Amino acid sequence: MKHRFPSITLGLPEWMDDSVPHGGVTLTSADARMEFVIMLSKRNVEEGTGGPFGAAIFERDSGRLIAPGVNRVVPASCSVAHAEMMAIMVAQQVLGVFDLGGEGLPACELVTTTEPCAMCLGAIPWSGVRRLVCGARKEDAEAHGFDEGDRVVRWVDALAGRGIDVIQDVRREEAAEVLRQYNAMGGLMYNGRLGDG
Amino acid sequence: MKHRFPSITLGLPEWMDDSVPHGGVTLTSADARMEFVIMLSKRNVEEGTGGPFGAAIFERDSGRLIAPGVNRVVPASCSVAHAEMMAIMVAQQVLGVFDLGGEGLPACELVTTTEPCAMCLGAIPWSGVRRLVCGARKEDAEAHGFDEGDRVVRWVDALAGRGIDVIQDVRREEAAEVLRQYNAMGGLMYNGRLGDG
């Protein structure tokens, strides 16, 4: 039976399979994990498969990759499909859980090339991750034309109060450079409402 | 070829088709639109298809329903699948756009049985809607065991500053009653991390 309202299907780009070695990825330092997601953000722009943002869910302690994510807003016709949201949703599908912090699971962390916008920040406590690792800052995103939305000012403290540690400025300049290049080449600024009124 | 990482598929419950009359729904008042989404929130609990929250995207001026939404967190294994996010994502699929406020589209509004949590609030500016209509307040959600996350205190002003009007307290008591009943019957509280540590 055809349903009146469509399902939503969100997938990672075709090239993701050959960006992740067979046998998986294990990266033990925050620096190496950030290098990996910056590579994803660059490739997403080069391949024309979305905006200049990459993210991933790793097991915090072992460094095993659970799920990568890249921005898919324009190709998926979905304003929710930020890199962090994709990584969270794919990781939850991989593990078959709505809570990455549930009983019996290894602690998970979210690594993202740019500090999360208001939506992604709000999604983090519900996802179950225990640590957030960020590259570029909000100021970098804004300097290159992106809108991070209305976040609580003391968001690092707010996450800490929920048992979620935050590490900032990992490979910050390199992460910000991807944003600068996207802006300089005239990449579509898809945040917010484009119509008048 | 089987991809290494799964796609995410999010769908509305089977019963949604018979909750929406053939030929569609047009509701001209905020009150009638809220009555409709409260009905969805109740049915979602009765049918065991998710949490006690309903939402929908309407054309603001004509009142034509574009897409309904209900909470699907537990059945979809997806912490992102709040009612508002489902309605936004389904509406964007229906119209084939990532921006419901794009050129040539009628102004859209989001109607939700409970004020949006921090994630859904952050998603609203990116969705392209021009008005938000709310039933129960944050205080009602929290009184019945739900966590709304860390929102900016002056969130109504912040949305207004982005050209998004907010209407609050539409059928507030009736919307809150669904939350109370869900809590009283021992419904799973799925917000946040359930594991230790």
Side-chain angles (χ1 to χ4, degrees):
Chain A
M1 178 181 136
K2 184 169 183 318
H3 291 287
R4 193 165 311 147
F5 299 102
S7 294
I8 304 132
T9 301
L10 299 170
L12 296 171
E14 294 284 326
W15 55 259
M16 190 63 79
D17 277 344
D18 56 66
S19 289
V20 179
H22 282 280
V25 170
T26 298
L27 299 168
T28 52
S29 70
D31 194 75
R33 295 175 202 176
M34 184 60 67
E35 185 178 23
F36 174 77
V37 297
I38 291 172
M39 178 273 290
L40 298 181
S41 73
K42 286 182 186 166
R43 187 149 183 198
N44 204 38
V45 175
E46 288 163 6
E47 301 268 2
T49 45
F53 300 95
I57 300 286
F58 288 92
E59 289 184 11
R60 182 192 61 192
D61 300 332
S62 74
R64 189 174 75 88
L65 174 70
I66 298 173
V70 287
N71 178 291
R72 297 287 282 160
V73 169
V74 176
S77 298
C78 181
S79 62
V80 170
H82 286 198
E84 298 95 322
M85 305 295 266
M86 291 296 298
I88 289 168
M89 290 191 283
V90 173
Q92 290 171 341
Q93 290 305 304
V94 166
L95 299 178
V97 296
F98 64 88
D99 174 15
L100 298 172
E103 284 293 344
L105 295 175
C108 288
E109 76 176 11
L110 172 63
V111 182
T112 176
T113 57
T114 302
E115 284 180 359
C117 77
M119 171 181 70
C120 297
L121 192 60
I124 287 170
W126 311 158
S127 74
V129 300
R130 288 178 164 80
R131 189 165 69 178
L132 171 67
V133 179
C134 307
R137 291 227 176 198
K138 169 189 171 85
E139 293 75 16
D140 302 318
E142 291 175 346
H144 300 306
F146 290 93
D147 184 350
E148 289 274 82
D150 304 300
R151 311 184 313 185
V152 293
V153 176
R154 296 173 65 87
W155 63 272
V156 173
D157 293 341
L159 288 182
R162 292 172 177 274
I164 301 166
D165 300 321
V166 179
I167 301 177
Q168 291 173 287
D169 300 332
V170 178
R171 292 183 173 249
R172 174 178 175 181
E173 290 73 24
E174 189 182 337
E177 177 61 16
V178 184
L179 306 182
R180 191 195 66 74
Q181 288 182 2
Y182 181 84
N183 185 298
M185 75 183 207
L188 177 64
M189 288 297 151
Y190 44 78
N191 259 173
R193 207 172 66 212
L194 300 178
D196 292 334
Chain B
M1 178 179 133
K2 184 172 181 318
H3 290 287
R4 192 163 314 145
F5 299 102
S7 294
I8 304 132
T9 300
L10 299 171
L12 296 171
E14 296 284 326
W15 55 258
M16 189 62 78
D17 276 344
D18 55 66
S19 291
V20 179
H22 282 279
V25 170
T26 298
L27 300 168
T28 53
S29 70
D31 193 74
R33 295 174 201 177
M34 185 59 67
E35 183 177 24
F36 175 76
V37 297
I38 292 172
M39 177 273 288
L40 298 181
S41 73
K42 284 182 189 168
R43 186 145 185 202
N44 204 38
V45 175
E46 288 163 7
E47 301 269 0
T49 47
F53 300 96
I57 300 286
F58 288 92
E59 290 185 9
R60 182 193 60 191
D61 300 333
S62 74
R64 189 175 74 86
L65 175 70
I66 298 173
V70 288
N71 178 290
R72 297 287 281 159
V73 168
V74 175
S77 298
C78 182
S79 62
V80 170
H82 286 198
E84 299 95 322
M85 304 296 265
M86 291 298 298
I88 289 169
M89 290 191 283
V90 173
Q92 290 171 340
Q93 291 305 305
V94 166
L95 298 178
V97 298
F98 64 87
D99 175 15
L100 298 171
E103 286 293 346
L105 295 175
C108 289
E109 77 176 14
L110 172 64
V111 181
T112 176
T113 56
T114 302
E115 285 181 356
C117 77
M119 171 180 70
C120 297
L121 191 61
I124 286 170
W126 312 156
S127 74
V129 300
R130 287 176 164 81
R131 190 164 70 178
L132 172 67
V133 179
C134 308
R137 293 227 175 198
K138 171 190 170 83
E139 292 75 16
D140 302 319
E142 291 175 348
H144 300 304
F146 290 93
D147 184 351
E148 289 275 83
D150 304 300
R151 312 185 311 186
V152 293
V153 175
R154 296 173 64 88
W155 63 274
V156 173
D157 293 340
L159 288 182
R162 293 173 177 271
I164 301 166
D165 301 321
V166 179
I167 301 177
Q168 293 174 284
D169 299 332
V170 179
R171 291 184 174 250
R172 174 179 175 180
E173 291 72 24
E174 190 182 337
E177 177 61 16
V178 183
L179 306 181
R180 191 195 66 74
Q181 288 181 1
Y182 181 83
N183 185 298
M185 76 183 205
L188 178 62
M189 288 297 151
Y190 45 78
N191 258 175
R193 207 172 66 212
L194 301 179
D196 293 333

